[in-house]
Amino acid sequence: CQMKKYELTEETTNIFGKTLHRIRATRDFSNVHAGDLGGFIENEFNLSHDENAWVYGNAGVGGDAWVYGNARVGGKALVSGEARVGGNARVYGDASVEGNARVYGNALVKGPRDIYWISCIGSRDGTTTFFRNANNSISVSCGCFYGTIDEFAAAVTKTHGDNEHAQAYRHAIEIAKLRIKLEDAES
């Protein structure tokens, strides 16, 4: 059994109407050293003790949200509900990941215009999450699908043809393209 990588401290904050505790690293991993203070979590369910996932700064993770893998949540970012942040995802700034949103892979979410999710969509009434990635394009997480927004559009057509689910997904894709602001190649 691997030693826990963090402990909850007595320092607390109130977010989402819940008490979150600042975390302190108990061993070295990634760029974190034993004794370093991290962000705030509600309980140990919110942050994996495995791999290199970490909550930094004044970021908060609560509810049934889960941060795992090599994900990093920092700044004033909030992760709540049943959201999942994993892989090499980076969530920071004033970003929020809530509800049943799923953010992973090489996600780069630093504000509200970097993520869009829609729930109760498709044949399973699930949640589809669109987010900016480190390649300055849009990734999509939907059920067991994970890929680019163009791959998602192709998968929707292959799976649903032109039925009502396909039409709803196509509208969601258009909203995501309007909503998620990619960096101009010029800058």
Side-chain angles (χ1 to χ4, degrees):
C1 176
Q2 192 171 16
M3 186 174 119
K4 289 184 176 185
K5 71 180 178 190
Y6 66 86
E7 61 190 4
L8 304 181
T9 68
E10 295 300 311
E11 183 185 349
T12 61
T13 188
N14 192 290
I15 306 177
F16 327 113
K18 299 176 187 297
T19 300
L20 275 60
H21 296 264
R22 188 173 292 281
I23 55 175
R24 179 186 302 113
T26 54
R27 60 178 169 87
D28 294 351
F29 59 94
S30 183
N31 63 344
V32 178
H33 301 289
D36 286 358
L37 292 175
F40 294 88
I41 66 173
E42 189 176 345
N43 58 55
E44 292 191 20
F45 176 80
N46 299 133
L47 176 63
S48 172
H49 281 285
D50 300 323
E51 300 182 88
N52 296 315
W54 191 241
V55 180
Y56 295 83
N58 289 311
V61 182
D64 291 325
W66 175 237
V67 178
Y68 63 97
N70 294 311
R72 293 180 183 181
V73 177
K76 295 184 212 158
L78 300 177
V79 181
S80 63
E82 296 188 5
R84 301 286 180 265
V85 178
N88 291 311
R90 302 289 178 264
V91 177
Y92 57 100
D94 57 356
S96 289
V97 181
E98 304 167 25
N100 291 307
R102 302 285 183 265
V103 178
Y104 49 92
N106 62 346
L108 189 59
V109 179
K110 59 185 177 183
R113 299 302 297 262
D114 293 332
I115 185 169
Y116 169 71
W117 65 89
I118 183 167
S119 294
C120 300
I121 189 170
S123 54
R124 289 189 213 90
D125 288 323
T127 296
T128 300
T129 310
F130 301 85
F131 49 89
R132 188 163 73 95
N133 62 41
N135 300 332
N136 197 37
S137 60
I138 300 172
S139 292
V140 184
S141 161
C142 179
C144 56
F145 176 88
Y146 172 76
T148 68
I149 198 165
D150 294 336
E151 291 166 343
F152 181 64
V156 163
T157 300
K158 184 177 178 186
T159 304
H160 297 290
D162 199 34
N163 70 16
E164 68 171 284
H165 302 305
Q167 293 174 42
Y169 280 128
R170 286 190 191 106
H171 286 297
I173 288 167
E174 290 311 307
I175 293 169
K177 286 179 177 177
L178 287 171
R179 176 103 190 118
I180 297 174
K181 296 294 182 200
L182 301 175
E183 309 292 324
D184 293 330
E186 314 293 308
S187 55

